[in-house]
Amino acid sequence: MEPVRLQKYLADAGVASRRAAEELIRQGRVAVDGVAVTTLGTRVIPGAQSVTVDGRPVAPGPAPVYILLHKPRGVLTTLRDPFGRPTVRGLLRGVKARVFPVGRLDLDSEGLLLCTNDGALAHRLLHPRFKVDKTYLVTVRGRPSRDDLGRLAAGVEIEGGRTLPCRVRRVGGTRRASVLEVILKEGRKRQIRLMCEAVGHPVTRLVRVAMGPLALGDLPPGAWRPLEPAEVAALRAAAGLAGAETG
C-alpha cells in the first residue's frame, strides 16, 4: 500500500478531522512505530506500521472504493428508506465496503451514480466551485425555441434562486417532444426539472450520462461495476486532486 500523510491516516480512521489530527501531531500525542511524531509531513504505510494516539492503537481506515451504478427509475438515491421502498443499496449486491452515493438522482431520474467512500473526491465533484461537469439527456414536452434554450443556458429563477450558466442544446426529438443535452456545474434538488418547467417544457425523462470524464456508457439499468484505475485518476484530476492522496 502507498504511504499516506499521518493526518490523513488519522482522519480516515475516524480519530479526528484532518485539521484536528494535525493539532494532535503538533502536541506530540501521536507515535509511529513507538516513536512520537511532531512533523506534519510524516508519511506512514497503512497496515505496515503501527500508529498510536495517547498510547492507544489506531487501525487504518478502509481502502477507497469507487463504484459506477446505473440507477433505474423508481429507485431512491439513499442507503435506507423507512417505508421500505427500493434504494440503491439494494442494487449494490456484492459490494462489501460501506459506500455512499455522490449527489442525488430523484426517484424518477435515471443514469450514472457514483458510489464511493472517498469523501474528499465526493465533496469536490458536488461543489460548484470545482466546476466538474454533469451531463444529462433530458426529454421534454414540445420543441423549445432558441430563446427558451438561451434562457436555460443563461440561468433561470427557480426555488432557491437563479441557476448558474450552463450548456444546453437540442440533440433529437419530434414535433411533440425534444431531447436536450444539459451540462451543469451545480446540482440543486430537482434543478433540471424546475428549469425546464420555468420555460414551459416539462421533463418526461431525465438520464445522467456523465460526470466529468466518467461516462455511463452501455452499463445496463440496475447494474454496477468498479471503476478502472484510469477512470479514478481522470475523475480525481477533473476535481483538482491530481497527484493528491486518495480520500
Side-chain angles (χ1 to χ4, degrees), residues 68-71 215-225:
L68 173 59
L69 171 69
H70 186 159
K71 187 192 97 64
L216 180 63
D218 57 3
L219 187 68
W224 65 267
R225 66 170 178 82

Side-chain angles (χ1 to χ4, degrees), residues 114-189:
L114 176 66
C115 298
T116 184
N117 53 5
D118 186 339
L121 177 62
H123 169 71
R124 285 178 173 247
L125 291 174
L126 295 176
H127 200 293
R129 178 162 67 92
F130 298 102
K131 301 180 179 179
V132 179
D133 290 340
K134 290 86 179 173
T135 304
Y136 302 82
L137 290 181
V138 186
T139 305
V140 300
R141 293 178 186 164
R143 188 180 180 103
S145 66
R146 183 176 298 180
D147 181 63
D148 292 332
L149 298 180
R151 289 173 60 197
L152 290 172
V156 294
E157 289 291 334
I158 63 172
E159 297 172 2
R162 193 174 187 84
T163 60
L164 294 177
C166 64
R167 285 176 277 167
V168 183
R169 66 187 180 107
R170 189 176 187 272
V171 294
T174 65
R175 296 179 66 179
R176 294 186 176 182
S178 299
V179 180
L180 308 179
E181 180 187 73
V182 180
I183 303 177
L184 303 179
K185 295 187 185 297
E186 59 180 337
R188 290 151 59 178
K189 186 176 180 180

Side-chain angles (χ1 to χ4, degrees), residues 176-208:
R176 294 186 176 182
S178 299
V179 180
L180 308 179
E181 180 187 73
V182 180
I183 303 177
L184 303 179
K185 295 187 185 297
E186 59 180 337
R188 290 151 59 178
K189 186 176 180 180
R190 297 180 63 82
Q191 178 173 340
I192 292 178
R193 295 180 185 276
L194 293 173
M195 289 171 61
C196 292
E197 287 175 8
V199 298
H201 294 279
V203 171
T204 59
R205 188 182 183 196
L206 190 154
V207 184
R208 181 158 61 199

Side-chain angles (χ1 to χ4, degrees), residues 7 9-17 20-21 24 30 51 53 56-59:
Q7 57 265 40
Y9 178 100
L10 296 174
D12 288 349
V15 172
S17 68
L24 291 174
V30 182
V51 177
V53 175
R56 293 189 294 273
V58 178

